Amino acid sequence: MADAVGSIDTPDAQDEVPEAQKKTRKGGKRAKKGPLKRLALFYRQIVAELRKVVWPTRSQLTTYTTVVIVFVVIMIGLVTVIDYGLSHAAKYVFG
């Protein structure tokens, strides 16, 4: 029994391309530019992305900074209390 035309096992005749006619790519767009041009492009893209950033106002920045400092102070206090309690518990147990 013969396979159907275009089956996976036997490709069609028009699908076969001789090796000499196949085009090979060497790196695409990056191979065409030197390292300094790629570096310059990278920095241009950085500047373009930084222009898209929505920077906070001074009042927002002050608010965010205050919230972070208050949170850090609370965490320092919590860790200090836990450390103090665990050290006294260790002295009580061990001696």
Side-chain angles (χ1 to χ4, degrees):
M1 182 170 198
D3 288 334
V5 175
S7 70
I8 295 173
D9 297 332
T10 57
D12 294 337
Q14 65 264 17
D15 291 342
E16 296 175 5
V17 178
E19 293 292 326
Q21 291 180 351
K22 289 184 181 178
K23 294 182 180 179
T24 59
R25 292 181 58 188
K26 295 184 179 179
K29 293 180 181 179
R30 289 189 179 183
K32 296 177 183 176
K33 296 180 181 177
L36 291 178
K37 288 185 180 181
R38 285 187 288 164
L39 188 63
L41 174 65
F42 177 70
Y43 284 116
R44 281 196 305 271
Q45 289 173 346
I46 289 175
V47 170
E49 288 297 322
L50 285 175
R51 287 185 180 145
K52 295 178 187 178
V53 173
V54 178
W55 297 99
T57 62
R58 183 175 287 278
S59 64
Q60 289 174 331
L61 190 62
T62 305
T63 303
Y64 299 155
T65 304
T66 305
V67 168
V68 168
I69 290 173
V70 167
F71 177 76
V72 168
V73 167
I74 290 171
M75 293 307 294
I76 288 171
L78 182 65
V79 169
T80 302
V81 167
I82 292 172
D83 184 48
Y84 183 75
L86 289 176
S87 68
H88 276 288
K91 284 181 186 176
Y92 178 74
V93 170
F94 297 112

